[in-house]
Amino acid sequence: MHRWVLLSCWAVLYALPALADSRVLTIGVEALDYAPYYYLDSNGNYRGLARDVLDAFARSRGYVFVYKPMPPARLMSAFLYEQNVDFKFPDHPRWSVDARRGVLLSYSLPLVTLTEGLLVRAPQQALKLEQLHDMATLTGFTPVAYLDQVHSGQIRLTENSSQQGLVRQLLVGRVQAIYLDWNVGMRMARSMGAASQLKPARELPVDRVPLMLSSTHNPEIIDQFNQFLLQQAGTLSRLRRHYHLSE
């Protein structure tokens, strides 16, 4: 009898590290500056609204999230094929549809929904769609609302690897408009002392882009995260105010 008790104790002791490790989960994140939603600080640490929300959820459930920033294409491969991260953020089922075909994925409710549209120079705020002939966006971004015009040749689309570079292109008149989330763009313009020179083109098409958390093997944690988002609406509103985000 004593032998069985001893063996049981050893079994519990050996299981403790595994139980502890099961609470430590990795989230693959984009190594992009899309502040204030997400960005890497000068030390390479993941920061922004998304991290604050994800960390608040982790604390509420006793998880520890480890963030692994990667370029978007590398992140997709690590998540879908190598499966060496537990979650991906941001994600959406309409992104890279061919790559995720045949893979069973769970998606959360939107952590945040972006309004991606055009910023223009203030005197051109009333710009009409038929007057728009060129625009720029961040490398790898797709201006869905303008794809018909891009494909038809009406609009020439160029890319830039940085927010600051995009804003500079617009300020010096190299393009008529830049496409990105309005909160992101105006935050960068303020940091460059150019907020008064740029305006959202509110009469032109926009894309509403939900940013979700996804997983291949943890649907139960995605369900928990959904409950958190629904129950903590007040916390999310306070965080939006903290980051000076408009609705």
Side-chain angles (χ1 to χ4, degrees):
M1 180 176 179
H2 293 295
R3 181 185 177 195
W4 284 109
V5 171
L6 184 61
L7 288 173
S8 297
C9 290
W10 277 110
V12 170
L13 289 171
Y14 276 114
L16 284 176
L19 289 172
D21 289 345
S22 71
R23 312 298 288 181
V24 179
L25 299 160
T26 58
I27 303 182
V29 296
E30 293 181 344
L32 292 176
D33 179 5
Y34 216 52
Y37 301 109
Y38 55 90
Y39 62 98
L40 302 183
D41 67 16
S42 58
N43 295 316
N45 297 311
Y46 190 63
R47 302 295 186 200
L49 173 71
R51 166 129 196 203
D52 288 352
V53 174
L54 290 166
D55 279 353
F57 163 68
R59 287 192 298 271
S60 75
R61 290 283 182 163
Y63 299 122
V64 175
F65 285 159
V66 177
Y67 300 91
K68 292 190 174 181
M70 297 177 232
R74 176 75 187 90
L75 172 57
M76 186 66 74
S77 177
F79 177 60
L80 291 179
Y81 307 125
E82 299 158 27
Q83 298 191 354
N84 55 20
V85 294
D86 298 301
F87 301 90
K88 179 180 183 294
F89 182 85
D91 205 0
H92 193 282
R94 293 199 302 266
W95 298 352
S96 304
V97 173
D98 290 340
R100 65 188 69 214
R101 187 168 287 117
V103 181
L104 184 61
L105 292 165
S106 299
Y107 298 92
S108 76
L109 297 171
L111 185 154
V112 67
T113 298
L114 310 185
T115 300
E116 292 186 336
L118 297 183
L119 285 174
V120 297
R121 293 184 296 282
Q124 294 187 309
Q125 192 173 9
L127 185 72
K128 305 295 184 187
L129 185 57
E130 58 269 20
Q131 297 172 315
L132 183 62
H133 302 301
D134 54 61
M135 58 189 284
T137 190
L138 288 170
T139 302
F141 277 49
T142 302
V144 175
Y146 297 89
L147 282 183
D148 287 346
Q149 288 78 16
V150 171
H151 290 156
S152 71
Q154 175 192 326
I155 297 175
R156 181 177 64 90
L157 177 65
T158 57
E159 295 184 343
N160 196 298
S161 60
S162 76
Q163 287 184 45
Q164 190 174 72
L166 277 181
V167 172
R168 283 176 175 161
Q169 279 185 276
L170 181 57
L171 288 172
V172 301
R174 290 182 182 170
V175 292
Q176 292 175 283
I178 56 174
Y179 174 92
L180 71 176
D181 175 81
W182 285 340
N183 284 308
V184 170
M186 291 308 297
R187 181 181 185 276
M188 177 56 70
R190 284 193 296 273
S191 74
M192 297 170 65
S196 63
Q197 300 177 54
L198 303 184
K199 298 291 182 182
R202 298 187 182 277
E203 301 303 316
L204 291 178
V206 300
D207 290 312
R208 296 285 287 170
V209 183
L211 302 186
M212 303 173 179
L213 181 69
S214 65
S215 181
T216 56
H217 292 102
N218 298 281
E220 73 287 352
I221 297 178
I222 294 293
D223 288 342
Q224 293 169 9
F225 185 54
N226 286 340
Q227 294 171 21
F228 174 84
L229 292 176
L230 293 172
Q231 294 168 359
Q232 298 297 322
T235 299
L236 301 181
S237 293
R238 286 193 294 274
L239 284 171
R240 290 188 66 87
R241 290 194 296 272
H242 171 75
Y243 283 101
H244 307 289
L245 291 171
S246 61
E247 297 296 333

